[in-house]
Amino acid sequence: EQRDRLKLPSAAVSMARPILDAPLDPAKYFVGPYDVIAVSIWAAEPLYLSLTVSPEGKLVIPTVAEVHVADLTLAEARKKIIAEIRKKYLSGDATVTLMQPREIYVNVTGHVKQPGRYQVSASDRIEKAILEASKEEMPKAVASQTEQQRIEQLETERRLKRASKRNIVVKHRDGTVDRVDLQKFYATRDHRLNPYLKEGDEVFVPLADNPKRVIG
């Protein structure tokens, strides 16, 4: 019974973990508030710390320093944290690992079934937000629909069939804009074509261009 009780917290934590389709890329993942980061200092007396990035974007490392890590890639944040640790611990080594990605809000607009604001993990990619906004709503009973509602529903269905998987526009908080080609991602499985989401991203799904005479 004691062994079973000890397993319960581990099971509860695993249920909350996001589902990944590939290992997280430290060079592409951007750190932000409420990411949980493990810091291990392998000195004469090893020290393990599980730390949460503050709302101001800082990681407070006891006995070391307060390190600003928000908006850095995980690879950049790791390098900066280890540099600060080495100023205090001249011998030994240090490791920095992301243990739990934070939850973020993004907006999805354009030609999706349910435009709006969605809560996702910072380890989720553009495709995930679009899939969430493309889920079917609970259908209304046909008998309860007015003629106008039926016309609007048919028009919406026709429009959504023309939603593009290419040239998707992603606007970031800092004013930069990315264009995402999911069709190419599906063909190549190159995750650089399906980047991670960041807080405040605005994802716009356009209509597909008219069919053109092309050879693929």
Side-chain angles (χ1 to χ4, degrees):
E1 289 181 359
Q2 183 179 6
R3 188 165 60 250
D4 290 341
R5 284 198 300 270
L6 290 172
K7 288 181 180 178
L8 284 175
S10 176
V13 170
S14 66
M15 290 294 289
R17 290 173 185 161
I19 299 173
L20 302 176
D21 59 355
L24 191 141
D25 185 349
K28 299 295 182 183
Y29 180 91
F30 284 85
V31 177
Y34 303 115
D35 274 333
V36 178
I37 294 177
V39 176
S40 298
I41 303 173
W42 308 102
E45 294 185 7
L47 180 63
Y48 173 83
L49 302 166
S50 181
L51 307 171
T52 301
V53 180
S54 74
E56 296 179 335
K58 297 178 181 179
L59 194 70
V60 180
I61 308 172
T63 75
V64 176
E66 186 179 87
V67 185
H68 193 279
V69 294
D71 297 324
L72 298 178
T73 65
L74 180 57
E76 292 168 340
R78 179 179 290 153
K79 185 176 180 180
K80 187 174 181 179
I81 291 166
I82 291 175
E84 290 295 330
I85 291 172
R86 284 176 176 163
K87 292 178 183 178
K88 299 289 184 178
Y89 293 83
L90 301 180
S91 62
D93 203 356
T95 57
V96 176
T97 307
L98 176 69
M99 297 302 293
Q100 182 68 52
R102 66 198 182 281
E103 295 293 308
I104 61 175
Y105 282 107
V106 298
N107 289 293
V108 184
T109 59
H111 300 280
V112 292
K113 290 184 183 296
Q114 300 184 67
R117 190 174 186 230
Y118 288 87
Q119 181 178 342
V120 295
S121 168
S123 61
D124 286 329
R125 298 175 181 272
I126 299 296
E127 179 194 29
K128 175 65 179 295
I130 294 174
L131 289 175
E132 287 294 317
S134 299
K135 288 180 178 178
E136 293 282 353
E137 295 182 86
M138 288 295 290
K140 295 180 181 178
V142 175
S144 67
Q145 288 183 322
T146 65
E147 183 65 23
Q148 181 62 29
Q149 287 175 328
R150 282 195 288 271
I151 292 172
E152 289 176 355
Q153 182 178 344
L154 288 171
E155 178 59 32
T156 298
E157 290 174 357
R158 280 195 293 267
R159 179 169 53 82
L160 291 174
K161 286 179 181 178
R162 295 178 55 211
S164 178
K165 290 184 175 63
R166 323 200 81 158
N167 205 32
I168 294 164
V169 180
V170 184
K171 295 181 180 179
H172 304 295
R173 283 182 303 133
D174 61 4
T176 59
V177 176
D178 287 329
R179 294 187 182 274
V180 176
D181 187 341
L182 289 181
Q183 195 70 41
K184 192 172 182 180
F185 165 68
Y186 295 145
T188 64
R189 306 313 296 181
D190 183 346
H191 284 89
R192 291 175 298 179
L193 301 170
N194 183 22
Y196 295 117
L197 292 158
K198 293 189 279 187
E199 291 95 337
D201 276 354
E202 298 274 351
V203 181
F204 176 76
V205 179
L207 281 177
D209 291 336
N210 291 331
K212 299 175 181 177
R213 296 169 64 102
V214 297
I215 296 176

